[in-house]
Amino acid sequence: DTAVSQTPKYLVTQMGNDKSIKCEQNLGHDTMYWYKQDSKKFLKIMFSYNNKELIINETVPNRFSPKSPDKAHLNLHINSLELGDSAVYFCASSQGGQGYGYTFGSGTRLTVV
Amino acid sequence: QKEVEQDPGPLSVPEGAIVSLNCTYSNSAFQYFMWYRQYSRKGPELLMYTYSSGNKEDGRFTAQVDKSSKYISLFIRDSQPSDSATYLCAMSLNTGGFKTIFGAGTRLFVKA
């Protein structure tokens, strides 16, 4: 009974393709996030949604577009994939935004070839 | 200068050792301080959190926050091979933050 589930776990695709990653949480949390973890394990926030409203939009290329159809779901669509997009993308959720109750998904490992 | 600095290691210790992991930060507005543990190919999991300054203990783990020095620590007593993981410090603002800043993570190996 996974709390935060992401699909797919692995994604290998060619440059220029468009792909989506889906995230769902069953914790009843009101805030969801997308984080990117690079090869050096550095976790950087990309987006944050609170009650379906976009709260944080860091300096992320326009090719990345999040969508939150409801509080329990946050998807990430990436257009025109580039080699530099290769990373592990983590979805997380929390109640409120203070960061002390984040629950992370197991990650989506994206490889662009 | 990054907002949160953490030595990436790796740190290798024998089983049973006391481990000390540390982070420094530059933003004095941070109020919530967290430690996450991340096993290989898994998502980070919250280990401990502290609000403002002080110490917090949970079993073999102790978290310390020194706001005057902008320095936080995590101590692991009687370390076990199962503690081998990457430990990420994290911190966020008091209100309306919705953004947690993570350190780069310290990779820990505990040898049996």
Side-chain angles (χ1 to χ4, degrees):
Chain A
D1 197 19
T2 307
V4 179
S5 58
Q6 290 179 235
T7 53
K9 286 191 184 304
Y10 299 95
L11 192 50
V12 181
T13 187
Q14 290 187 326
M15 279 175 53
N17 283 351
D18 303 339
K19 290 293 177 186
S20 291
I21 306 171
K22 295 186 176 183
C23 179
E24 176 181 2
Q25 55 97 0
N26 62 7
L27 298 166
H29 288 165
D30 61 4
T31 308
M32 295 185 74
Y33 313 81
W34 278 113
Y35 274 83
K36 179 181 179 181
Q37 188 170 48
D38 60 26
S39 57
K40 294 184 179 179
K41 295 287 190 182
F42 189 60
L43 261 177
K44 188 170 181 185
I45 190 166
M46 300 173 69
F47 303 103
S48 172
Y49 271 78
N50 176 254
N51 285 315
K52 302 195 300 175
E53 183 184 347
L54 182 64
I55 297 295
I56 293 173
N57 184 349
E58 289 293 284
T59 310
V60 176
N62 290 338
R63 300 181 294 104
F64 290 78
S65 52
K67 278 206 175 99
S68 181
D70 55 56
K71 278 196 329 180
H73 296 84
L74 179 61
N75 304 321
L76 183 65
H77 188 75
I78 315 170
N79 290 326
S80 303
L81 277 155
E82 300 176 358
L83 291 176
D85 297 332
S86 296
V88 182
Y89 292 84
F90 285 101
C91 176
S93 71
S94 71
Q95 185 58 33
Q98 300 316 320
Y100 52 80
Y102 277 28
T103 301
F104 281 86
S106 55
T108 295
R109 188 171 293 270
L110 171 65
T111 304
V112 182
V113 296
Chain B
Q1 184 190 6
K2 288 183 181 170
E3 279 191 284
V4 179
E5 298 275 3
Q6 183 176 12
D7 186 339
L11 179 62
S12 184
V13 300
E15 184 176 356
I18 297 175
V19 176
S20 172
L21 303 166
N22 311 293
C23 286
T24 58
Y25 62 95
S26 56
N27 188 346
S28 57
F30 286 136
Q31 292 281 354
Y32 291 92
F33 303 91
M34 288 73 68
W35 287 94
Y36 284 81
R37 177 175 62 195
Q38 185 176 20
Y39 290 113
S40 182
R41 305 224 166 218
K42 299 286 187 185
E45 55 177 332
L46 181 66
L47 203 55
M48 299 188 72
Y49 80 88
T50 310
Y51 173 68
S52 195
S53 280
N55 294 358
K56 189 170 184 178
E57 190 173 320
D58 184 2
R60 297 184 295 113
F61 299 90
T62 300
Q64 287 186 352
V65 175
D66 181 350
K67 291 194 72 182
S68 61
S69 302
K70 298 195 185 79
Y71 188 87
I72 69 171
S73 302
L74 178 71
F75 297 96
I76 308 174
R77 289 183 298 281
D78 187 24
S79 55
Q80 303 294 310
S82 58
D83 294 328
S84 298
T86 297
Y87 289 80
L88 303 117
C89 64
M91 40 204 83
S92 62
L93 303 172
N94 189 28
T95 57
F98 295 100
K99 182 164 79 169
T100 294
I101 307 296
F102 285 81
T106 299
R107 196 145 183 215
L108 172 68
F109 295 98
V110 180
K111 297 176 291 186

